[in-house]
Amino acid sequence: METADGWLLRMRLPGGTIAPDQFDAVADTSERWGRGIVEITARGNLQLRGVAAEAVALAADALVHAGLADPEPVLDARRAVVAPPLTGHDPAEARSVAGLTEVLVDALVAAALPGPLAPKFGVVLDTTGSIRVGAVPGDLLLVARPAAGATEWWAAIGHGGQPGWSGVLGPCTDAELVRLTVDLAARCAAHGCRAADLPPATVAAVSGHRPYAPVGRATSPAAASVGPWDHVAPDRVSVVGAPPLGRLGPDGLRRLAGAGRRGLGLRVTPTGCVAVLGVRRHDLDLVTAELHGAGCSTDPLDGWHAVSACAGADGCASGRADTLAAATLVARCSAPDGRRPRVHLSGCEKRCGAPGDARILVADEAGRFVGDEEAP
Ligand code: SF4
């Protein structure tokens, strides 16, 4: 995608999972061919900014070579599966969906779909655990929750806006969830639309003709999800850190890669954070210091956690104001009481990447930020 500061290359990370070596590869690619700025997106992906037109193919090849993208864009678009950042390591979740995430991606990539999926088609898995992701927009939300010693699933189809269907599926095998997901993807591809725009009869067919039954929406992950989290292994802990505005430079990426090598893995979160999974408790201080060295905050009361912004005038031709400078000001002025409402600064009315639970301030024609209710 071409933007005001050059080409932007997006890497879809199923479940936010990324290996330390891949973080190093992103750092090298952004340093060599980009502006040295990598952003965490609202779907827990990464995007590399400011690549010159003549270097796009080289940078894209480097990312494909590192296993961060499918060389075929139509297939790469099918890899959009969001999962909780701690899944598989979280003692509070109903079940792990780490394996299911991989199986879903493989099935979507292998499926014989009747056409391309919409660029923002996505599946969201939530496990009612410590850090929830159910508020991330998508075409299908599948939520695992504990029920009488088993795991029960509920689903919402087209949950980016008003869901077309939302109800209890009951206990399901992974194969059944994969069938439902691929069926929905095939119908979206056939109609050339997102799930929210499918005809009601099609949605009814996907949901097994169960009547529309609203169930409680999962809430967004807490803005202050940073810091240490219990691990399924008592001698380990996971640590989440947040870089300011979800932006990282090459040095920060490399330090995070080093931190990841001290644990059992790394995940990027839809709230602009990075989780280091399964660190031995005696390495916690060391890993926390690495996160701080990478520019990440692990303090839940830090004002940065309640503020987000789109690229604004710094990186987007539509930006009417310097959203990044304004967000810095908001973060520095936040009262340190841990109860601040989340604020998102948007450079125009498109509101790219705005979290669902944030108060959105939109730059008007004069570059002043106005509340969402007054914005166009
Ligand atoms: S919200 Fe507007 S200014 Fe911000 S990134 Fe999107 S198009 Fe650009």
Side-chain angles (χ1 to χ4, degrees):
M1 184 196 308
E2 194 171 12
T3 63
D5 63 344
W7 284 76
L8 180 147
L9 303 189
R10 190 166 291 151
M11 292 150 266
R12 292 184 178 85
L13 309 179
T17 300
I18 183 164
D21 288 354
Q22 290 176 314
F23 251 155
D24 282 337
V26 175
D28 294 346
T29 309
S30 75
E31 203 168 46
R32 186 161 179 199
W33 288 299
R35 272 177 75 193
I37 296 172
V38 173
E39 296 171 332
I40 300 173
T41 75
R43 288 179 173 79
N45 295 319
L46 293 177
Q47 57 192 26
L48 197 149
R49 297 203 72 92
V51 180
E54 59 276 14
V56 167
L58 291 167
D61 278 354
L63 299 179
V64 168
H65 184 71
L68 289 158
D70 190 292
E72 175 50 61
V74 170
L75 298 183
D76 195 65
R78 303 182 187 182
R79 299 169 66 246
V81 178
V82 173
L86 303 184
T87 193
H89 300 259
D90 180 6
E93 67 182 346
R95 59 156 277 186
S96 165
V97 290
L100 177 59
T101 301
E102 287 180 20
V103 171
L104 275 177
V105 169
D106 290 347
L108 285 166
V109 170
L113 301 183
L117 290 172
K120 289 197 171 170
F121 178 92
V123 179
V124 180
L125 303 174
D126 190 80
T127 58
T128 51
S130 299
I131 302 181
R132 301 194 60 181
V133 294
V136 175
D139 294 77
L140 173 64
L141 168 65
L142 294 168
V143 181
R145 57 185 185 184
T151 300
E152 160 181 280
W153 289 87
W154 66 261
I157 295 173
H159 78 283
Q162 185 65 19
W165 181 86
S166 173
V168 178
L169 300 175
C172 293
T173 64
D174 284 6
E176 287 169 327
L177 297 172
V178 169
R179 267 199 300 280
L180 186 150
T181 305
V182 173
D183 184 17
L184 179 69
R187 290 170 194 265
C188 287
H191 285 82
C193 69
R194 302 286 304 276
D197 302 317
L198 285 172
T202 306
V203 173
V206 176
S207 67
H209 293 275
R210 294 177 185 86
Y212 176 81
V215 289
R217 275 280 305 273
T219 56
S220 159
S225 59
V226 296
W229 290 89
D230 282 344
H231 191 268
V232 287
D235 62 333
R236 292 183 183 268
V237 65
S238 298
V239 203
V240 178
L245 300 176
R247 297 184 134 211
L248 285 157
D251 292 345
L253 288 162
R254 291 189 184 106
R255 289 194 83 144
L256 288 172
R261 290 187 182 99
R262 293 193 173 273
L264 300 176
L266 286 166
R267 295 223 179 97
V268 173
T269 86
T271 46
C273 302
V274 175
V276 186
L277 305 168
V279 174
R280 290 209 184 274
R281 285 190 182 270
H282 59 71
D283 280 339
L284 176 58
D285 288 348
L286 212 63
V287 169
T288 303
E290 282 294 310
L291 285 167
H292 294 166
C296 296
S297 165
T298 57
D299 176 2
L301 299 183
D302 193 324
W304 281 110
H305 307 318
V307 185
S308 57
C310 75
D314 180 60
C316 177
S318 303
R320 300 180 188 126
D322 188 340
T323 49
L324 305 178
T328 304
L329 206 58
V330 172
R332 289 193 176 142
C333 294
S334 291
D337 62 3
R339 289 180 283 109
R340 298 168 298 280
R342 212 164 151 73
V343 175
H344 180 83
L345 294 144
S346 185
C348 78
E349 57 279 1
K350 209 170 159 198
R351 300 169 177 81
C352 297
D357 61 341
R359 173 164 163 70
I360 303 171
L361 300 176
V362 180
D364 67 11
E365 294 293 346
R368 291 171 310 191
F369 288 98
V370 296
D372 209 18
E373 56 289 348
E374 305 165 48

